[in-house]
Amino acid sequence: MSRALDAATFSGLEALTGLGMPPERAAAALAAYNGVLGTLAGLDGVPFGDTPPAAAFNASWE
């Protein structure tokens, strides 16, 4: 499932939240958002195997 936004959807969200960004800043924010999503999508292919969730980590030296 793609979570990338197009300019029209981003503009609608911006209006809904009342951010009032200048168009050039909105374009930069949209590009950054979609870029981060692209980077995070690469993590889907990482095989974690038997890695326990962080909540199960015990950092004590006992």
Side-chain angles (χ1 to χ4, degrees):
M1 175 172 98
S2 174
R3 297 180 195 271
L5 297 177
D6 60 11
T9 304
F10 188 83
S11 177
L13 289 171
E14 177 196 0
L16 181 68
T17 57
L19 291 175
M21 286 188 199
E24 59 277 353
R25 183 161 181 204
L30 176 60
Y33 172 80
N34 286 331
V36 168
L37 284 182
T39 301
L40 293 176
L43 295 176
D44 289 337
V46 176
F48 290 109
D50 293 333
T51 305
F57 179 72
N58 183 355
S60 64
W61 288 91
E62 296 175 9

